């Protein structure tokens, strides 16, 4: 009798929780918040700090959110402040945030029970962007295997370089390789040196594997899997793959050209380097705003014009359904197609030989406006709370909301209120503005009638 009562109570509680969180967006937001809370608790313990003293709650919270939201902004130096236990916690949070909390939860459910419930399929589909709920088992398996394989390859390459080129012991070299491989593929930007990767700015054996991991992880899993199937047949690529690959290449070339040309003679960045080293450092710097967060040049010493260029690249971000942040390449491309169609006076928006749905256009516009709104309001608030100028504050805000992790060095100097604002921006940027705001909505509303059309003057 007692056991039946307990089962009845547990069933009632579980049913109540499921009814409370029926919208996939609510589940995703809750899952990321729970992971951040657990990470905060672990990082606040004395065992997580190198000194053996409890870390301030604000620093533990900031670091946990930055890790699970794969950003890379920090208020304390990762290598010197955190112990091995703390670094492992950060690494696990990065991996969980990159794969997606719901993806991991669904994977564990598959391993334990061998099946997935319909609601779990819908939740995980919202996180993985699987085409259909029925494809979820295959998609999750492919995502996990591909992620682990890429991270392993990059970890091996980095570990070999650390061991051979820098004399690190095998165990230490393997640990450094694994940590930075996970951080790079998940576009997190956490590093185990105070200067990020500036000491390796001229080492192609370190920089190029990092760039490769960042770019591949930021393409998005749907694009990666399609390229794996038909990379030799570009004419058969979907519109999503064509837009993502083309725009990625354009932005990589543009970033490389802008940073290399404008910083070429800067005595504090590229100036003292040789030609080959300048090209390598310029390419690395141009690729990192794909929301990675590593830097091989001193960001604070760059020309302010490049801060603005970095703001733009960070805000655009990487591919959809990947580890990158920002409004996404596809969102940016859709708005470009809308603009092009409007300039040409066309009634429909076309991408290649396909017509873009009106719902896609509205989603792109909504995501961009919400992102700009977050950036504007947060920049205004931080300007009121800190003595820093507009250029540095804007850089920090865009880096946070786009989950990039690049910084001009003012993060640790912000007040507690300012750091909480940055923390909220990182969280909102990871789950997505539309996901966050739809999760906060009390209920979905469907209008069962249409109002008369009215044309107004715009522009």
């Amino acid at each position: 009798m007692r056991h039946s009562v307990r089962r009845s109570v547990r069933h009632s509680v579980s049913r109540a929780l499921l009814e409370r969180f029926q919208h996939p967006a609510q589940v995703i937001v809750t899952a990321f918040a729970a992971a951040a809370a657990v990470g905060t608790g672990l990082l606040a313990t004395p065992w997580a700090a190198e000194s053996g003293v409890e870390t301030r709650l604000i620093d533990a919270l900031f670091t946990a959110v930055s890790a699970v939201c794969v950003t890379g902004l920090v208020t304390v130096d990762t290598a010197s402040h955190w112990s091995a236990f703390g670094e492992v916690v950060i690494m696990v949070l990065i991996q969980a945030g990159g794969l997606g909390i719901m993806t991991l939860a669904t994977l564990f459910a598959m391993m334990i029970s061998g099946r997935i419930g319909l609601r779990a399929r819908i939740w995980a589909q919202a996180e993985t962007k699987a085409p259909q709920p029925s494809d979820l088992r295959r998609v999750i398996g492919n995502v996990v295997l591909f992620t682990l394989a890429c991270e392993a390859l990059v970890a091996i390459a980095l570990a070999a370089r650390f061991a051979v080129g820098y004399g690190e012991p095998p165990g230490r070299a393997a640990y450094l390789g694994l940590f930075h491989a996970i951080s790079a593929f998940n576009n997190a930007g956490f590093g185990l040196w105070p200067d990020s990767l500036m000491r390796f700015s001229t080492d192609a054996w370190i920089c190029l594997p990092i760039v490769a991991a960042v770019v591949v992880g930021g393409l998005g899993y749907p694009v990666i899997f399609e390229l794996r199937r038909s990379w030799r047949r570009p004419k058969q690529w979907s519109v999503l793959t064509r837009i993502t690959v083309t725009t990625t290449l354009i932005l990589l070339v543009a970033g490389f050209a802008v940073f290399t040309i404008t910083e070429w003679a800067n005595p504090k960045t590229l100036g003292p380097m040789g030609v080959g080293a300048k090209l390598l450092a310029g390419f690395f710097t141009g690729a990192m705003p794909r929301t990675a967060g590593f830097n091989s040049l001193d960001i604070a010493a760059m020309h302010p014009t490049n801060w603005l260029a970095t703001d733009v690249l960070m805000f655009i971000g990487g591919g959809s359904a990947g580890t990158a942040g920002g409004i996404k390449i596809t969102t940016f491309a859709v708005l470009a197609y809308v603009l092009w169609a409007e300039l040409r006076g066309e009634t429909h928006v076309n991408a290649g030989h396909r017509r873009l749905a009106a719902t896609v256009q509205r989603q792109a516009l909504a995501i961009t406006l919400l992102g700009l709104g977050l950036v504007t309001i947060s920049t205004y608030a931080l300007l009121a709370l800190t003595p820093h100028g507009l250029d540095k504050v804007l850089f920090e805000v865009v880096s946070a909301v786009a989950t990039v992790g690049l910084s001009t060095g003012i993060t640790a100097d912000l007040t507690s209120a300012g750091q909480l604002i940055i923390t909220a921006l990182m969280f909102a940027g990871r789950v997505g503005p539309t996901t966050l705001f739809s999760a906060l909505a009390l209920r979905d509303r469907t209008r069962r009638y249409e109002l008369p059309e009215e044309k107004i003057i715009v522009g």
Side-chain angles (χ1 to χ4, degrees):
M1 180 67 179
R2 187 177 301 171
H3 292 292
S4 62
V5 171
R6 289 178 179 174
R7 283 196 299 269
S8 177
V9 171
R10 285 198 299 267
H11 177 73
S12 300
V13 173
S14 300
R15 185 172 182 179
L17 288 173
L18 289 176
E19 290 176 353
R20 174 66 183 85
F21 298 107
Q22 289 185 354
H23 199 293
Q26 292 175 315
V27 180
I28 293 172
V29 172
T30 304
F32 273 97
V38 172
T40 301
L42 292 175
L43 291 177
T45 62
W47 306 287
E50 191 69 39
S51 62
V53 179
E54 292 183 0
T55 300
R56 288 194 316 155
L57 184 60
I58 182 65
D59 292 327
L61 173 64
F62 192 100
T63 304
V65 172
S66 182
V68 80
C69 296
V70 292
T71 305
L73 290 173
V74 294
T75 56
V76 294
D77 179 56
T78 303
S80 62
H81 180 84
W82 302 110
S83 64
F85 172 75
E87 292 173 1
V88 170
V89 170
I90 292 172
M91 186 163 50
V92 172
L93 289 174
I94 292 172
Q95 187 73 85
L99 280 175
I101 303 298
M102 290 312 302
T103 306
L104 287 176
T106 306
L107 175 65
F108 293 150
M110 289 170 55
M111 295 172 61
I112 294 172
S113 63
R115 60 187 180 87
I116 311 175
L118 178 59
R119 181 165 293 174
R121 288 174 181 267
I122 296 174
W123 288 345
Q125 182 194 8
E127 172 63 28
T128 61
K129 308 298 188 297
Q132 298 293 335
S134 58
D135 299 331
L136 189 59
R137 185 187 297 270
R138 174 179 55 83
V139 169
I140 289 179
N142 290 339
V143 166
V144 173
L145 289 176
F146 182 81
T147 297
L148 297 180
C150 287
E151 290 174 349
L153 289 175
V154 176
I156 291 173
L158 293 177
R161 182 57 178 170
F162 288 136
V164 176
Y166 297 92
E168 295 284 355
R172 174 68 176 171
Y175 175 72
L176 291 174
L178 179 63
F179 186 96
H180 290 90
I182 291 176
S183 183
F185 184 82
N186 291 287
N187 280 226
F190 277 87
L192 293 180
W193 292 278
D195 60 356
S196 187
L197 297 179
M198 288 176 57
R199 64 188 64 193
F200 306 113
S201 60
T202 60
D203 191 339
W205 295 99
I206 298 294
C207 292
L208 293 183
I210 293 289
V211 170
V214 167
V215 172
V216 173
L219 282 176
Y221 295 111
V223 173
I224 291 172
F225 294 149
E226 184 171 353
L227 290 176
R228 187 182 62 178
R229 292 191 305 268
S230 56
W231 65 275
R232 294 183 178 180
R233 300 182 295 275
K235 293 183 179 181
Q236 298 180 9
W237 291 355
S238 64
V239 175
L240 171 65
T241 299
R242 290 182 182 180
I243 288 177
T244 303
V245 172
T246 303
T247 310
T248 297
L249 291 175
I250 292 173
L251 293 178
L252 284 174
V253 172
F256 165 67
V258 168
F259 290 111
T260 304
I261 293 173
T262 55
E263 295 293 328
W264 188 269
N266 188 343
K268 296 181 179 180
T269 55
L270 295 181
M273 301 180 183
V275 174
K278 288 181 178 181
L279 296 177
L280 175 64
F283 177 67
F284 187 90
T285 304
M288 288 306 104
R290 315 306 310 139
T291 80
F294 293 108
N295 63 283
S296 62
L297 298 177
D298 186 0
I299 301 296
M302 292 170 56
H303 290 297
T305 53
N306 281 332
W307 291 347
L308 180 59
T310 306
D311 290 339
V312 174
L313 292 174
M314 291 191 299
F315 188 75
I316 295 173
S320 299
T323 59
I327 63 171
K328 308 300 185 187
I329 285 174
T330 46
T331 302
F332 173 74
V334 167
L335 293 180
Y337 281 119
V338 170
L339 177 61
W340 181 245
E342 189 65 26
L343 292 175
R344 299 183 63 181
E346 297 180 350
T347 56
H348 298 291
V349 179
N350 302 318
H353 299 289
R354 293 292 186 271
R355 177 165 54 88
L356 296 180
T359 54
V360 174
Q361 300 172 42
R362 291 198 302 268
Q363 288 171 356
L365 181 61
I367 290 172
T368 303
L369 289 179
L370 284 171
L372 289 174
L374 283 174
V375 169
T376 302
I377 294 173
S378 302
T379 301
Y380 182 88
L382 283 178
L383 284 174
L385 292 172
T386 68
H388 301 290
L390 174 61
D391 46 7
K392 290 187 176 182
V393 170
L394 179 62
F395 191 100
E396 211 76 9
V397 167
V398 175
S399 180
V401 79
T403 66
V404 180
L406 293 174
S407 175
T408 57
I410 69 171
T411 306
D413 297 333
L414 296 176
T415 62
S416 296
Q419 291 176 357
L420 287 176
I421 291 175
I422 296 295
T423 302
L425 286 175
M426 291 189 293
F427 187 83
R430 178 61 182 96
V431 301
T434 52
T435 300
L436 179 63
F437 286 108
S438 63
L440 296 177
L442 295 178
R443 59 192 177 99
D444 295 329
R445 296 181 179 180
T446 303
R447 189 182 295 273
R448 301 184 183 278
Y449 59 90
E450 290 188 2
L451 298 173
E453 184 179 276
E454 179 75 18
K455 290 186 177 181
I456 63 174
I457 299 176
V458 295

